[in-house]
Amino acid sequence: MIKLIASDLDGTLLRDGAQELTPRAVRLIHKLTQKGIHFVAASGRQYDSERYIFRKIKDDISYISDNGSLCIHQGEAISCGNISDGLALRVIDEVRKNSEYELLISRPEASYIEAGNPDFENHMKNVMHFNIRTVKDIRDVELPFMKIAVANLGTDDNMEYLNHLKDMFGQEIKAVTSGTIWIDFITPGCSKGKALKTLMERFGIKPEECMAFGDEYNDVEMLELAGKSYAMSGSAPGIAQHAAYVTDSVEDVLEEVLGGLD
């Protein structure tokens, strides 16, 4: 029996660039939690952004944010990871060499961007609904950082730059695509899968009692951990190899799970 369901957001539960859950998704997740099934939002997004998306049922679910750097259940931080200070600053200095990319860093209280690109600031505040603080110089933000991400609003193909960043830092930190405009640096020792395992241990849930959904490389560990895993149709190349099934719709699968409980 499935006792926990974890889902990525962008490209998975939120399809085709959507920034809001459908009424059907809200209804299904609410019903699942009422029947005692844990639901976990697992995203590269910030915790505040996740809470906004699930605002109608925000206290009914658990959260994995910042690609697993922060895991929260009922308002309590279950786990939190940080990038080493020296590595974080070297990554920032390297990204600054490419004017096409914007930096975003996250700490538990907020995410930070540098002033100068109103389109990016608007995207983060009013589209993604992040708790954003704009600063003159990200290097002046208090260390340590939970997450570093870079974005290019003008392209949906970041592979060349991703490969460059892997060449520069691949021995020290994992860099992955996270949605069409994003490259995320995964905090060493952290992942959605590791955070999910922490929650499973807290709830006494076995892998075979867990279901997970994802579509990008930051979902791989989570998909491999769950006993019943789904890659989304149209996932990044190779992601389906890490999942047991492929689906067009998280909501359809949730409906099936509910049907099996009746």
Side-chain angles (χ1 to χ4, degrees), residues 216-244:
E216 279 286 352
Y217 298 105
N218 58 343
D219 298 314
V220 167
E221 291 86 355
M222 181 172 70
L223 293 172
E224 291 181 341
L225 175 64
K228 198 167 188 180
S229 55
Y230 290 82
M232 303 307 296
S233 59
S235 291
I239 296 301
Q241 299 173 15
H242 300 277

PDB file of all heavy atoms in Angstrom, residues 216-244:
ATOM      1  N   GLU A 216      13.298  15.781 -14.239  1.00  0.00           N
ATOM      2  CA  GLU A 216      14.607  16.376 -14.496  1.00  0.00           C
ATOM      3  C   GLU A 216      15.701  15.632 -13.732  1.00  0.00           C
ATOM      4  O   GLU A 216      15.433  14.749 -12.913  1.00  0.00           O
ATOM      5  CB  GLU A 216      14.605  17.860 -14.090  1.00  0.00           C
ATOM      6  CG  GLU A 216      13.996  18.790 -15.144  1.00  0.00           C
ATOM      7  CD  GLU A 216      14.898  19.021 -16.348  1.00  0.00           C
ATOM      8  OE1 GLU A 216      16.068  18.585 -16.313  1.00  0.00           O
ATOM      9  OE2 GLU A 216      14.439  19.635 -17.327  1.00  0.00           O
ATOM     10  N   TYR A 217      16.946  16.040 -13.980  1.00  0.00           N
ATOM     11  CA  TYR A 217      18.088  15.355 -13.389  1.00  0.00           C
ATOM     12  C   TYR A 217      18.168  15.557 -11.876  1.00  0.00           C
ATOM     13  O   TYR A 217      18.778  14.743 -11.177  1.00  0.00           O
ATOM     14  CB  TYR A 217      19.377  15.817 -14.073  1.00  0.00           C
ATOM     15  CG  TYR A 217      19.391  15.481 -15.551  1.00  0.00           C
ATOM     16  CD1 TYR A 217      19.180  16.455 -16.510  1.00  0.00           C
ATOM     17  CD2 TYR A 217      19.572  14.155 -15.968  1.00  0.00           C
ATOM     18  CE1 TYR A 217      19.166  16.135 -17.857  1.00  0.00           C
ATOM     19  CE2 TYR A 217      19.561  13.826 -17.318  1.00  0.00           C
ATOM     20  CZ  TYR A 217      19.352  14.826 -18.260  1.00  0.00           C
ATOM     21  OH  TYR A 217      19.323  14.508 -19.598  1.00  0.00           O
ATOM     22  N   ASN A 218      17.556  16.609 -11.363  1.00  0.00           N
ATOM     23  CA  ASN A 218      17.541  16.779  -9.908  1.00  0.00           C
ATOM     24  C   ASN A 218      16.511  15.881  -9.234  1.00  0.00           C
ATOM     25  O   ASN A 218      16.382  15.887  -8.009  1.00  0.00           O
ATOM     26  CB  ASN A 218      17.293  18.243  -9.526  1.00  0.00           C
ATOM     27  CG  ASN A 218      15.996  18.798 -10.071  1.00  0.00           C
ATOM     28  OD1 ASN A 218      15.380  18.247 -10.977  1.00  0.00           O
ATOM     29  ND2 ASN A 218      15.563  19.918  -9.510  1.00  0.00           N
ATOM     30  N   ASP A 219      15.785  15.072 -10.034  1.00  0.00           N
ATOM     31  CA  ASP A 219      14.806  14.128  -9.491  1.00  0.00           C
ATOM     32  C   ASP A 219      15.323  12.693  -9.445  1.00  0.00           C
ATOM     33  O   ASP A 219      14.643  11.816  -8.896  1.00  0.00           O
ATOM     34  CB  ASP A 219      13.525  14.145 -10.343  1.00  0.00           C
ATOM     35  CG  ASP A 219      12.837  15.492 -10.338  1.00  0.00           C
ATOM     36  OD1 ASP A 219      12.686  16.069  -9.249  1.00  0.00           O
ATOM     37  OD2 ASP A 219      12.442  15.959 -11.425  1.00  0.00           O
ATOM     38  N   VAL A 220      16.488  12.438  -9.996  1.00  0.00           N
ATOM     39  CA  VAL A 220      16.948  11.062 -10.201  1.00  0.00           C
ATOM     40  C   VAL A 220      17.002  10.271  -8.898  1.00  0.00           C
ATOM     41  O   VAL A 220      16.473   9.151  -8.801  1.00  0.00           O
ATOM     42  CB  VAL A 220      18.331  11.047 -10.891  1.00  0.00           C
ATOM     43  CG1 VAL A 220      18.961   9.656 -10.815  1.00  0.00           C
ATOM     44  CG2 VAL A 220      18.192  11.480 -12.339  1.00  0.00           C
ATOM     45  N   GLU A 221      17.627  10.831  -7.860  1.00  0.00           N
ATOM     46  CA  GLU A 221      17.791  10.086  -6.606  1.00  0.00           C
ATOM     47  C   GLU A 221      16.433   9.769  -5.974  1.00  0.00           C
ATOM     48  O   GLU A 221      16.243   8.708  -5.383  1.00  0.00           O
ATOM     49  CB  GLU A 221      18.657  10.882  -5.627  1.00  0.00           C
ATOM     50  CG  GLU A 221      20.114  11.008  -6.037  1.00  0.00           C
ATOM     51  CD  GLU A 221      20.380  12.168  -6.974  1.00  0.00           C
ATOM     52  OE1 GLU A 221      19.408  12.837  -7.399  1.00  0.00           O
ATOM     53  OE2 GLU A 221      21.561  12.414  -7.290  1.00  0.00           O
ATOM     54  N   MET A 222      15.506  10.689  -6.100  1.00  0.00           N
ATOM     55  CA  MET A 222      14.167  10.480  -5.558  1.00  0.00           C
ATOM     56  C   MET A 222      13.437   9.373  -6.318  1.00  0.00           C
ATOM     57  O   MET A 222      12.800   8.507  -5.718  1.00  0.00           O
ATOM     58  CB  MET A 222      13.374  11.788  -5.629  1.00  0.00           C
ATOM     59  CG  MET A 222      11.970  11.726  -5.080  1.00  0.00           C
ATOM     60  SD  MET A 222      11.188  13.356  -5.003  1.00  0.00           S
ATOM     61  CE  MET A 222      10.938  13.700  -6.765  1.00  0.00           C
ATOM     62  N   LEU A 223      13.543   9.382  -7.631  1.00  0.00           N
ATOM     63  CA  LEU A 223      12.903   8.353  -8.441  1.00  0.00           C
ATOM     64  C   LEU A 223      13.497   6.978  -8.149  1.00  0.00           C
ATOM     65  O   LEU A 223      12.778   5.972  -8.107  1.00  0.00           O
ATOM     66  CB  LEU A 223      13.046   8.687  -9.923  1.00  0.00           C
ATOM     67  CG  LEU A 223      12.297   9.920 -10.425  1.00  0.00           C
ATOM     68  CD1 LEU A 223      12.686  10.228 -11.868  1.00  0.00           C
ATOM     69  CD2 LEU A 223      10.789   9.747 -10.302  1.00  0.00           C
ATOM     70  N   GLU A 224      14.805   6.933  -7.955  1.00  0.00           N
ATOM     71  CA  GLU A 224      15.454   5.644  -7.701  1.00  0.00           C
ATOM     72  C   GLU A 224      15.121   5.105  -6.315  1.00  0.00           C
ATOM     73  O   GLU A 224      15.121   3.892  -6.099  1.00  0.00           O
ATOM     74  CB  GLU A 224      16.967   5.792  -7.862  1.00  0.00           C
ATOM     75  CG  GLU A 224      17.395   6.033  -9.307  1.00  0.00           C
ATOM     76  CD  GLU A 224      18.890   6.166  -9.462  1.00  0.00           C
ATOM     77  OE1 GLU A 224      19.567   6.434  -8.437  1.00  0.00           O
ATOM     78  OE2 GLU A 224      19.390   6.003 -10.587  1.00  0.00           O
ATOM     79  N   LEU A 225      14.829   5.987  -5.378  1.00  0.00           N
ATOM     80  CA  LEU A 225      14.508   5.561  -4.021  1.00  0.00           C
ATOM     81  C   LEU A 225      13.104   4.975  -3.910  1.00  0.00           C
ATOM     82  O   LEU A 225      12.892   3.964  -3.226  1.00  0.00           O
ATOM     83  CB  LEU A 225      14.641   6.750  -3.056  1.00  0.00           C
ATOM     84  CG  LEU A 225      14.224   6.506  -1.605  1.00  0.00           C
ATOM     85  CD1 LEU A 225      15.129   5.466  -0.945  1.00  0.00           C
ATOM     86  CD2 LEU A 225      14.258   7.825  -0.824  1.00  0.00           C
ATOM     87  N   ALA A 226      12.153   5.604  -4.570  1.00  0.00           N
ATOM     88  CA  ALA A 226      10.749   5.203  -4.431  1.00  0.00           C
ATOM     89  C   ALA A 226      10.496   3.848  -5.088  1.00  0.00           C
ATOM     90  O   ALA A 226      10.983   3.567  -6.184  1.00  0.00           O
ATOM     91  CB  ALA A 226       9.844   6.254  -5.039  1.00  0.00           C
ATOM     92  N   GLY A 227       9.703   3.034  -4.429  1.00  0.00           N
ATOM     93  CA  GLY A 227       9.373   1.732  -4.978  1.00  0.00           C
ATOM     94  C   GLY A 227       8.512   1.808  -6.221  1.00  0.00           C
ATOM     95  O   GLY A 227       8.566   0.945  -7.093  1.00  0.00           O
ATOM     96  N   LYS A 228       7.702   2.856  -6.318  1.00  0.00           N
ATOM     97  CA  LYS A 228       6.853   3.060  -7.490  1.00  0.00           C
ATOM     98  C   LYS A 228       7.129   4.466  -8.002  1.00  0.00           C
ATOM     99  O   LYS A 228       6.680   5.458  -7.420  1.00  0.00           O
ATOM    100  CB  LYS A 228       5.380   2.887  -7.122  1.00  0.00           C
ATOM    101  CG  LYS A 228       4.473   2.645  -8.314  1.00  0.00           C
ATOM    102  CD  LYS A 228       3.100   2.159  -7.883  1.00  0.00           C
ATOM    103  CE  LYS A 228       2.267   1.737  -9.091  1.00  0.00           C
ATOM    104  NZ  LYS A 228       0.916   1.248  -8.683  1.00  0.00           N
ATOM    105  N   SER A 229       7.874   4.563  -9.080  1.00  0.00           N
ATOM    106  CA  SER A 229       8.328   5.863  -9.555  1.00  0.00           C
ATOM    107  C   SER A 229       7.855   6.126 -10.974  1.00  0.00           C
ATOM    108  O   SER A 229       7.772   5.216 -11.798  1.00  0.00           O
ATOM    109  CB  SER A 229       9.851   5.951  -9.497  1.00  0.00           C
ATOM    110  OG  SER A 229      10.439   4.885 -10.219  1.00  0.00           O
ATOM    111  N   TYR A 230       7.560   7.391 -11.242  1.00  0.00           N
ATOM    112  CA  TYR A 230       7.040   7.810 -12.546  1.00  0.00           C
ATOM    113  C   TYR A 230       7.876   8.960 -13.102  1.00  0.00           C
ATOM    114  O   TYR A 230       8.020  10.003 -12.457  1.00  0.00           O
ATOM    115  CB  TYR A 230       5.591   8.293 -12.420  1.00  0.00           C
ATOM    116  CG  TYR A 230       4.583   7.221 -12.116  1.00  0.00           C
ATOM    117  CD1 TYR A 230       4.394   6.782 -10.812  1.00  0.00           C
ATOM    118  CD2 TYR A 230       3.812   6.647 -13.124  1.00  0.00           C
ATOM    119  CE1 TYR A 230       3.453   5.803 -10.511  1.00  0.00           C
ATOM    120  CE2 TYR A 230       2.864   5.663 -12.838  1.00  0.00           C
ATOM    121  CZ  TYR A 230       2.702   5.251 -11.525  1.00  0.00           C
ATOM    122  OH  TYR A 230       1.771   4.292 -11.233  1.00  0.00           O
ATOM    123  N   ALA A 231       8.387   8.770 -14.309  1.00  0.00           N
ATOM    124  CA  ALA A 231       8.964   9.875 -15.065  1.00  0.00           C
ATOM    125  C   ALA A 231       7.852  10.463 -15.936  1.00  0.00           C
ATOM    126  O   ALA A 231       6.980   9.735 -16.418  1.00  0.00           O
ATOM    127  CB  ALA A 231      10.106   9.390 -15.945  1.00  0.00           C
ATOM    128  N   MET A 232       7.881  11.753 -16.129  1.00  0.00           N
ATOM    129  CA  MET A 232       6.875  12.387 -16.953  1.00  0.00           C
ATOM    130  C   MET A 232       7.211  12.218 -18.430  1.00  0.00           C
ATOM    131  O   MET A 232       8.386  12.216 -18.825  1.00  0.00           O
ATOM    132  CB  MET A 232       6.792  13.880 -16.627  1.00  0.00           C
ATOM    133  CG  MET A 232       6.507  14.193 -15.154  1.00  0.00           C
ATOM    134  SD  MET A 232       5.042  13.354 -14.510  1.00  0.00           S
ATOM    135  CE  MET A 232       3.760  14.106 -15.524  1.00  0.00           C
ATOM    136  N   SER A 233       6.198  12.061 -19.248  1.00  0.00           N
ATOM    137  CA  SER A 233       6.420  12.090 -20.691  1.00  0.00           C
ATOM    138  C   SER A 233       7.026  13.440 -21.040  1.00  0.00           C
ATOM    139  O   SER A 233       6.621  14.468 -20.512  1.00  0.00           O
ATOM    140  CB  SER A 233       5.108  11.887 -21.435  1.00  0.00           C
ATOM    141  OG  SER A 233       4.175  12.890 -21.085  1.00  0.00           O
ATOM    142  N   GLY A 234       8.016  13.450 -21.888  1.00  0.00           N
ATOM    143  CA  GLY A 234       8.704  14.694 -22.200  1.00  0.00           C
ATOM    144  C   GLY A 234       9.769  15.064 -21.189  1.00  0.00           C
ATOM    145  O   GLY A 234      10.261  16.194 -21.193  1.00  0.00           O
ATOM    146  N   SER A 235      10.136  14.116 -20.312  1.00  0.00           N
ATOM    147  CA  SER A 235      11.202  14.366 -19.339  1.00  0.00           C
ATOM    148  C   SER A 235      12.527  14.627 -20.049  1.00  0.00           C
ATOM    149  O   SER A 235      12.689  14.343 -21.245  1.00  0.00           O
ATOM    150  CB  SER A 235      11.365  13.159 -18.412  1.00  0.00           C
ATOM    151  OG  SER A 235      10.274  13.007 -17.552  1.00  0.00           O
ATOM    152  N   ALA A 236      13.477  15.158 -19.298  1.00  0.00           N
ATOM    153  CA  ALA A 236      14.825  15.341 -19.831  1.00  0.00           C
ATOM    154  C   ALA A 236      15.370  13.990 -20.304  1.00  0.00           C
ATOM    155  O   ALA A 236      14.988  12.935 -19.774  1.00  0.00           O
ATOM    156  CB  ALA A 236      15.731  15.937 -18.751  1.00  0.00           C
ATOM    157  N   PRO A 237      16.244  13.981 -21.305  1.00  0.00           N
ATOM    158  CA  PRO A 237      16.762  12.728 -21.851  1.00  0.00           C
ATOM    159  C   PRO A 237      17.350  11.816 -20.780  1.00  0.00           C
ATOM    160  O   PRO A 237      18.145  12.247 -19.947  1.00  0.00           O
ATOM    161  CB  PRO A 237      17.846  13.199 -22.834  1.00  0.00           C
ATOM    162  CG  PRO A 237      17.402  14.569 -23.244  1.00  0.00           C
ATOM    163  CD  PRO A 237      16.769  15.158 -22.021  1.00  0.00           C
ATOM    164  N   GLY A 238      16.929  10.562 -20.796  1.00  0.00           N
ATOM    165  CA  GLY A 238      17.475   9.568 -19.878  1.00  0.00           C
ATOM    166  C   GLY A 238      16.758   9.442 -18.546  1.00  0.00           C
ATOM    167  O   GLY A 238      17.000   8.480 -17.812  1.00  0.00           O
ATOM    168  N   ILE A 239      15.878  10.367 -18.210  1.00  0.00           N
ATOM    169  CA  ILE A 239      15.225  10.322 -16.900  1.00  0.00           C
ATOM    170  C   ILE A 239      14.327   9.096 -16.770  1.00  0.00           C
ATOM    171  O   ILE A 239      14.245   8.472 -15.710  1.00  0.00           O
ATOM    172  CB  ILE A 239      14.418  11.615 -16.646  1.00  0.00           C
ATOM    173  CG1 ILE A 239      15.353  12.817 -16.584  1.00  0.00           C
ATOM    174  CG2 ILE A 239      13.606  11.511 -15.357  1.00  0.00           C
ATOM    175  CD1 ILE A 239      16.413  12.727 -15.516  1.00  0.00           C
ATOM    176  N   ALA A 240      13.658   8.719 -17.849  1.00  0.00           N
ATOM    177  CA  ALA A 240      12.753   7.565 -17.796  1.00  0.00           C
ATOM    178  C   ALA A 240      13.485   6.288 -17.391  1.00  0.00           C
ATOM    179  O   ALA A 240      12.870   5.374 -16.831  1.00  0.00           O
ATOM    180  CB  ALA A 240      12.064   7.378 -19.140  1.00  0.00           C
ATOM    181  N   GLN A 241      14.785   6.217 -17.630  1.00  0.00           N
ATOM    182  CA  GLN A 241      15.551   5.023 -17.262  1.00  0.00           C
ATOM    183  C   GLN A 241      15.655   4.857 -15.749  1.00  0.00           C
ATOM    184  O   GLN A 241      15.950   3.760 -15.263  1.00  0.00           O
ATOM    185  CB  GLN A 241      16.960   5.100 -17.872  1.00  0.00           C
ATOM    186  CG  GLN A 241      16.967   5.155 -19.389  1.00  0.00           C
ATOM    187  CD  GLN A 241      18.357   5.397 -19.951  1.00  0.00           C
ATOM    188  OE1 GLN A 241      19.354   5.251 -19.246  1.00  0.00           O
ATOM    189  NE2 GLN A 241      18.425   5.763 -21.221  1.00  0.00           N
ATOM    190  N   HIS A 242      15.417   5.920 -15.019  1.00  0.00           N
ATOM    191  CA  HIS A 242      15.527   5.883 -13.557  1.00  0.00           C
ATOM    192  C   HIS A 242      14.175   5.642 -12.888  1.00  0.00           C
ATOM    193  O   HIS A 242      14.098   5.620 -11.650  1.00  0.00           O
ATOM    194  CB  HIS A 242      16.129   7.184 -13.040  1.00  0.00           C
ATOM    195  CG  HIS A 242      17.496   7.464 -13.566  1.00  0.00           C
ATOM    196  ND1 HIS A 242      18.637   6.913 -13.019  1.00  0.00           N
ATOM    197  CD2 HIS A 242      17.908   8.226 -14.613  1.00  0.00           C
ATOM    198  CE1 HIS A 242      19.694   7.327 -13.693  1.00  0.00           C
ATOM    199  NE2 HIS A 242      19.282   8.122 -14.669  1.00  0.00           N
ATOM    200  N   ALA A 243      13.110   5.502 -13.672  1.00  0.00           N
ATOM    201  CA  ALA A 243      11.766   5.334 -13.130  1.00  0.00           C
ATOM    202  C   ALA A 243      11.169   4.019 -13.607  1.00  0.00           C
ATOM    203  O   ALA A 243      11.564   3.460 -14.636  1.00  0.00           O
ATOM    204  CB  ALA A 243      10.879   6.505 -13.555  1.00  0.00           C
ATOM    205  N   ALA A 244      10.195   3.528 -12.848  1.00  0.00           N
ATOM    206  CA  ALA A 244       9.527   2.278 -13.215  1.00  0.00           C
ATOM    207  C   ALA A 244       8.482   2.492 -14.302  1.00  0.00           C
ATOM    208  O   ALA A 244       8.208   1.585 -15.091  1.00  0.00           O
ATOM    209  CB  ALA A 244       8.874   1.666 -11.977  1.00  0.00           C
TER     210      ALA A 244
END
